[in-house]
Amino acid sequence: PEPESPPAHRRGDAAAETPAKEPQAKPAGAAAGGPEAKRLKPAPVEPAVVRKQVEYYLSDDNLKHDKFFHEKIASDSEGWLDMGLVLSCNKMKAMRATREDVVAALAGSRLELRDGGAAVRRPGNAPLPALEAKPQHHQKKKA
């Protein structure tokens, strides 16, 4: 019953991370040559998904609530955000995206890259939105 047990790198992931990918991930892994191939390469990185995620991180919608990225971008006079910080995000780790994946995914994007993808920034170093308090969601309630 090895194919039934989720690979170690998947167990901790929240199902909400990639709802659209879940149904496709299993058959793709099985077709790639059984459990061994699954463990080595869970799924190819989808450039459109990577691009959408990175563009979201640097969007006004995210940055008005994302204090961490807001401060990191604000602390750089030219508005650059280190790619290592982007890649350290849980959603990027779940995708197993590399710097090369992000560079390739952002080929047609308005986001700007520096030094072969060492850093990324908003188009034309666009001004950051003002930080706002996050709307409170009560997710922790247990019935």
Side-chain angles (χ1 to χ4, degrees):
E2 184 156 1
E4 277 91 36
S5 66
H9 64 272
R10 288 297 238 182
R11 273 185 224 126
D13 288 0
E17 285 284 315
T18 49
K21 290 281 163 237
E22 273 314 285
Q24 299 165 337
K26 286 172 187 118
E36 206 49 48
K38 228 185 196 174
R39 217 171 293 135
L40 297 170
K41 198 155 174 61
V45 176
E46 195 62 58
V49 178
V50 172
R51 175 177 165 174
K52 189 175 176 195
Q53 190 61 47
V54 177
E55 287 180 341
Y56 171 72
Y57 288 144
L58 295 176
S59 70
D60 284 355
D61 275 349
N62 182 55
L63 289 171
K64 65 186 177 190
H65 300 301
D66 189 331
K67 189 169 185 253
F68 180 75
F69 274 171
H70 195 286
E71 287 175 355
K72 291 293 178 192
I73 293 168
S75 70
D76 185 290
S77 61
E78 294 176 8
W80 292 104
L81 180 64
D82 187 272
M83 187 63 76
L85 294 173
V86 173
L87 294 172
S88 69
C89 293
N90 287 337
K91 288 193 176 180
M92 299 302 283
K93 283 187 193 168
M95 284 189 251
R96 286 184 136 45
T98 64
R99 176 176 299 185
E100 293 72 31
D101 293 328
V102 176
V103 169
L106 293 180
S109 173
R110 292 184 61 228
L111 294 179
E112 299 172 19
L113 292 167
R114 181 182 75 189
D115 304 335
V120 62
R121 77 172 175 187
R122 290 155 58 87
N125 190 16
L128 291 168
L131 271 174
E132 298 173 15
K134 257 191 183 155
Q136 292 302 306
H137 297 294
H138 302 288
Q139 297 162 329
K140 300 268 184 215
K141 276 188 186 169
K142 299 228 167 154

